Amino acid sequence: MELSHLNTNTDSNRPQSPTVSVVIPTLNEERNLPHVFAKLPTMISEVIIVDGGSKDRTVEVARELRPDAVIVQQTRIGKGNALACGFAACTGDIIVMIDADGSTDPAEIPLFVDKLIKGDHFVKGSRFSHGGHSHDITKLRKLGNDGLNLVVNVLFRTHFTDLCYGYNAFWRSVVPALDLPDVSLPRPSDGSKLWGDGFEIETMINIRAVAEKLKVGEVGSTEHERIFGESNLNTFRDGFRVLRTIFSEYGRMRRRRGAGLRPFVEGLQHVAPPAATPQSRGLGQVVNPPAPAAPAHPVATRHPADPRRDASHLNRAARREDVGARRSDDINKIRSRALDDLGTQPTQDLSAARARMLDDLGNVQTQDINKLRSTTQLDD
C-alpha cells in the first residue's frame, strides 16, 4: 500500500517554539482591517493578506497598519481559492485562518496555538461548545448547521459541534492532507468556480482532516457581527453547497480507501520527543513544558512539545490497575471470611443441639430408672 501523500514532516521534528502565520482573505475590507489588526496578539510572526480584487483601499490600509504584511493576489475567485493561495504563501509553523470582517476574534488565536502545541494536528473553533457563542447566526442558519453536523458525524463517525465555522488553525506540515485545488490552475472559461474555490472550502478541509485521521480538536470561540459591510453568505444556496460537499467528500474517502491509499497521519513517524525547556511566547503562555520520561507507546498524533500527556496517561492506567487489584483482594478476603463464618456457625449450632438432645435423653433415662427402682422397692 502507498501513502496518500508524500509527507516529509513528522510529529517528532516540529519546532518546539512554533512561529504562527495568519491568513486573512479580503475583499473591500478597508474599514474592518483596523479593528482586526488591533486585536492580533504579539505572538503572530506573519500576516498574509489575500486580496480578491478589492476596489477600495484594503491593500493600502493593510500595508499602513502592518508594513511587514505579505500581500497576495488570489489566482481565481472565491474564498476557497483565497485560502489556498494564502496557505501556499505561509512560512510559519502554524497557520491560522480568520475573517477580515471582524466576526472572528484574533485575540483567541493563543487558544488554538496552545491546543496544537499540546498534541492536535488541526484545531477548529466552535460557537456551540466549550463556552463558545455567536452574536450573528440566525435561528434558520443554526438549524441548518445542526442538521449538517448530524450528517457529517454519522457518515464520518466524528463529533463536530460546529462544522461550518471557518475559524481554524493547523500545523503547516499537514496542508498536503487537505489536498486543496492547485492555485496555478486557470479559472474556468465560463466564469464558474472550481470545486473547492467557494465557501464549501471550510467544510471540505474539516472533513478531509478527519478523513486523513488527523487529530482534530475544538476550542470555544465567540462569533461577532460583521463590523462594516454586508455578508456574501446565502443560507439556502450555501447550505445545499455544503450538503453536496459532505456527500462528495464521503465518496472521495471511500474511493481512496478502496484504492489502498493509507491516511496521511500514517506517514508521521512514531518517535518520542526530546526533553524541552519551558519558554514563554505571546501572551505569557508556556508552550514548552518540561518533559518527563519518554512514553512507552507510539504518539503519532501528539506534538512533542507537550510530552506530559502520555506519562500521565500511563500513570493513571497503573493506578487504575493497582486499585482494581486491591479491590479484588479485599473482596476475596471478605468472601472467604463470610464462607468461613457461614460454615462455622451451622457446625456450632448442630453441636449445641446434639449436646442438648443427649442431655435431655440422659435426664429422661435417669428419671425412668429412678421410677422403676422406686416401684420395685414398693413391691418388695
Side-chain angles (χ1 to χ4, degrees):
M1 298 176 70
E2 61 180 8
L3 292 176
S4 56
H5 301 281
L6 178 62
N7 177 26
T8 58
N9 295 283
T10 68
D11 279 346
S12 61
N13 64 14
R14 288 176 182 164
Q16 297 176 1
S17 299
T19 53
V20 181
S21 297
V22 176
V23 176
I24 310 176
T26 60
L27 182 62
N28 301 321
E29 302 286 2
E30 66 169 322
R31 292 192 295 172
N32 292 323
L33 284 184
H35 300 276
V36 174
F37 276 45
K39 301 183 82 173
L40 287 172
T42 57
M43 69 189 309
I44 302 302
S45 54
E46 183 178 53
V47 175
I48 308 291
I49 298 294
V50 187
D51 192 63
S54 296
K55 303 300 182 183
D56 62 4
R57 298 184 64 255
T58 294
V59 174
E60 290 78 2
V61 169
R63 286 180 173 147
E64 292 169 1
L65 295 171
R66 186 141 182 162
D68 64 340
V70 178
I71 309 298
V72 177
Q73 294 294 329
Q74 67 180 99
T75 57
R76 295 186 294 272
I77 61 172
K79 185 175 183 178
N81 174 250
L83 289 174
C85 291
F87 299 164
C90 288
T91 61
D93 304 309
I94 289 175
I95 298 175
V96 183
M97 44 187 278
I98 64 175
D99 293 331
D101 58 7
S103 59
T104 53
D105 187 357
E108 297 173 348
I109 290 177
L111 300 176
F112 290 78
V113 173
D114 183 62
K115 195 161 178 60
L116 287 170
I117 290 173
K118 289 182 177 178
D120 288 343
H121 296 110
F122 187 103
V123 178
K124 69 182 312 304
S126 174
R127 299 165 289 181
F128 312 120
S129 183
H130 311 289
H133 183 69
S134 176
H135 297 286
D136 184 58
I137 196 167
T138 63
K139 292 183 179 179
L140 181 60
R141 285 172 53 202
K142 176 64 167 63
L143 180 64
N145 190 62
D146 290 343
L148 295 170
N149 274 337
L150 178 62
V151 173
V152 169
N153 289 337
V154 169
L155 290 179
F156 295 90
R157 300 180 181 179
T158 54
H159 298 88
F160 283 122
T161 63
D162 194 0
L163 177 71
C164 299
Y165 192 40
Y167 199 166
N168 299 320
F170 43 89
W171 293 97
R172 184 164 60 94
S173 60
V174 305
V175 170
L178 308 180
D179 196 22
L180 301 179
D182 189 346
V183 296
S184 64
L185 293 176
R187 180 181 176 183
S189 57
D190 60 359
S192 61
K193 298 176 183 175
L194 293 180
W195 185 249
D197 276 359
F199 278 106
E200 71 276 4
I201 184 66
E202 292 161 355
T203 302
M204 176 186 292
I205 65 176
N206 291 336
I207 292 177
R208 290 188 179 180
V210 297
E212 295 296 336
K213 305 297 183 183
L214 300 180
K215 184 176 181 182
V216 178
E218 288 186 338
V219 296
S221 177
T222 299
E223 179 187 37
H224 302 277
E225 294 182 352
R226 167 182 273 271
I227 301 174
F228 296 106
E230 296 181 359
S231 173
N232 293 321
L233 287 173
N234 181 288
T235 301
F236 292 100
R237 180 196 64 201
D238 294 324
F240 282 113
R241 193 172 180 89
V242 169
L243 186 62
R244 178 188 169 194
T245 302
I246 293 171
F247 288 110
S248 174
E249 290 301 309
Y250 182 70
R252 175 183 180 272
M253 181 187 70
R254 290 179 62 88
R255 288 192 301 271
R256 294 175 71 81
R257 296 295 180 265
L261 296 175
R262 291 160 55 192
F264 178 87
V265 76
E266 294 187 14
L268 302 178
Q269 294 179 3
H270 299 190
V271 179
T277 302
Q279 296 180 12
S280 298
R281 284 185 60 85
L283 303 180
Q285 294 185 331
V286 177
V287 299
N288 293 319
H297 56 84
V299 290
T301 58
R302 300 289 190 175
H303 188 265
D306 186 23
R308 296 173 299 175
R309 68 280 179 196
D310 296 299
S312 59
H313 170 73
L314 291 175
N315 290 336
R316 285 195 297 270
R319 287 195 293 269
R320 285 196 297 267
E321 292 173 0
D322 293 341
V323 171
R326 288 196 297 270
R327 287 179 178 174
S328 299
D329 292 341
D330 294 341
I331 291 172
N332 290 335
K333 290 179 182 178
I334 294 172
R335 183 180 300 164
S336 177
R337 287 196 298 270
L339 291 175
D340 291 342
D341 295 341
L342 185 62
T344 303
Q345 186 62 37
T347 302
Q348 295 172 349
D349 294 341
L350 288 173
S351 299
R354 185 180 301 161
R356 286 195 299 271
M357 289 176 63
L358 292 174
D359 291 342
D360 293 341
L361 182 60
N363 292 334
V364 171
Q365 290 176 347
T366 302
Q367 292 173 359
D368 290 343
I369 292 171
N370 290 334
K371 287 180 180 179
L372 180 60
R373 183 181 300 167
S374 176
T375 302
T376 302
Q377 290 174 354
L378 290 173
D379 291 344
D380 292 345

